[in-house]
Amino acid sequence: MRVPNMIGDWQECDGGHAGLRVRVHGVERAEPPRGRDDAAEGLVYFRFRVTVENRAGTPFGIHVEDGQFDVRTGPDGESAFLDWRNSQFIEGFDLYPLRRATAVVYAAAADSSLARVDIQIQLRTDEEWADRYLWAGGIGAHGDVLGRDSALDGTGEGLACQVSSFLQREAEQGPA
C-alpha cells in the first residue's frame, strides 16, 4: 500500500524520471488574479503550488498543465472546480539540473469541505508519463494549512505521523 504524501512533502519520481522530485505546497485560501469564474459561484477559492526540481545530471522537458490534476475535497472526495483560466502551468519547459519550476493552480470548493483536500498529480516529462502521486491535507477554519507543517496535537506527533501510523496499522491488519 502506498502512503500519500502530506502537503509540503517532496516525492521522488521513479523509473525513467530518476532525479526529478515534485511537491504540492502553499495551499491557502486565495482569490484568483483575473476574477472569479461564473461556474465557481458560491464556492471558496484556494490555490496551491506544484514545484518540480531536477536533481539529475541531464535536463528534462517538463509539463504540469491541465488534465494532469485531480483535486478532491471533503469526506466524500467530491471533485473541486479547477480554474484553468487563472492558473499558471508549466508547459514544455526545459528544466536543467539543480533548477526548479513552479506551477500555481487555482481551485474552488465548498467551504465546509476544505478541511480535507487530496491533490493527485501525474507529471509528464518530454513525452513520458510518470506515476501518479497523491498529497493529502486541507485548510482549517482559520485558513491554517493542515498537512506536514500543521501544529502538533500535544503528544509530539504531527498530522503526517498520525496519518502514516494509521495507514501502516491498516496495511498490517489487511482486509477485513
Side-chain angles (χ1 to χ4, degrees), residues 91-130:
E91 300 178 37
F93 185 76
D94 291 330
L95 188 61
Y96 285 86
L98 304 177
R99 299 282 193 238
R100 291 181 178 173
T102 300
V104 180
V105 180
Y106 284 86
D111 190 30
S112 60
S113 69
L114 292 179
R116 181 180 276 171
V117 177
D118 295 327
I119 302 169
Q120 182 173 277
I121 298 173
Q122 186 172 19
L123 181 69
R124 190 175 68 161
T125 60
D126 300 315
E127 296 304 318
E128 295 180 28
W129 292 94

Side-chain angles (χ1 to χ4, degrees), residues 10 21-23 25 49-54 60 62-64 88-91 93-96 98-104 123:
W10 285 99
R21 66 182 193 159
V22 63
R23 77 173 170 161
H25 60 104
R49 289 174 167 69
V50 178
T51 298
V52 181
E53 181 179 65
N54 185 355
F60 286 97
I62 61 167
H63 305 270
V64 179
Q88 302 163 354
F89 299 108
I90 304 169
E91 300 178 37
F93 185 76
D94 291 330
L95 188 61
Y96 285 86
L98 304 177
R99 299 282 193 238
R100 291 181 178 173
T102 300
V104 180
L123 181 69

